[in-house]
């Protein structure tokens, strides 16, 4: 669910561009794009927090969560820009099932808070 946004933010679902506001549901396969003045904060069902900065594109490639066992998996693709992430219940239960992928790297989450910046990759 989108919790906060500032500036220009769009959500691409398949071939559709959908309006984004606090409370907008984010689904697997959705692409969130922030403009040069934009940022967006998303909370996943396992309480994982995602914050994308200006000029960012991220895709929720995989997300599965069982609220009874806290089992599941998360794969976030950061196409460009910056992403701050605070891991949720899936990472506490099975850290090997939480990953962030960029064009040049696939990172497994072992900590609880981190920032990924792909601007250097754009050079």
């Amino acid at each position: 669910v989108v919790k906060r946004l500032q500036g220009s933010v769009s959500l691409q679902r398949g071939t559709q561009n959908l309006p984004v506001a606090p409370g907008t549901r984010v689904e697997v396969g959705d692409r969130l794009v922030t403009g040069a003045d934009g940022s967006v904060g998303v909370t996943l069902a396992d309480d994982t927090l995602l914050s994308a900065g200006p000029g960012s594109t991220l895709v929720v490639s995989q997300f599965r969560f069982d609220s009874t066992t806290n089992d599941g998996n998360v794969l976030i693709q950061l196409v460009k820009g910056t992403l701050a992430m605070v891991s949720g219940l899936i990472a506490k239960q099975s850290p090997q099932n939480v990953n962030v992928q960029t064009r040049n790297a696939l990172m497994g989450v072992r900590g609880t808070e981190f920032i990924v910046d792909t601007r250097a990759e754009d050079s």
Side-chain angles (χ1 to χ4, degrees):
V1 174
V2 172
K3 291 295 185 175
R4 63 163 192 79
L5 62 100
Q6 181 176 348
S8 171
V9 178
S10 66
L11 187 146
Q12 299 168 354
R13 183 173 292 153
T15 59
Q16 297 180 318
N17 275 330
L18 302 175
V20 182
T24 299
R25 294 188 61 78
V26 178
E27 299 178 2
V28 171
D30 283 355
R31 178 180 293 253
L32 285 161
V33 180
T34 62
D37 64 340
S39 63
V40 64
V42 175
T43 301
L44 301 179
D46 76 323
D47 292 330
T48 293
L49 305 176
L50 307 172
S51 294
S56 297
T57 301
L58 68 94
V59 179
V60 179
S61 296
Q62 296 176 11
F63 183 79
R64 181 183 57 77
F65 176 61
D66 181 327
S67 60
T68 302
T69 64
N70 293 342
D71 187 39
N73 66 303
V74 179
L75 173 59
I76 303 297
Q77 286 183 296
L78 182 61
V79 177
K80 68 176 184 173
T82 58
L83 171 69
M85 184 170 170
V86 178
S87 58
L89 297 172
I90 295 172
K92 288 179 177 66
Q93 174 75 19
S94 305
Q96 70 277 9
N97 291 347
V98 179
N99 295 286
V100 175
Q101 183 176 22
T102 70
R103 282 188 306 186
N104 297 325
L106 174 63
M107 294 158 279
V109 173
R110 299 298 176 261
T112 57
E113 297 180 32
F114 60 93
I115 297 172
V116 180
D117 184 346
T118 64
R119 289 178 292 187
E121 293 179 12
D122 293 337
S123 304

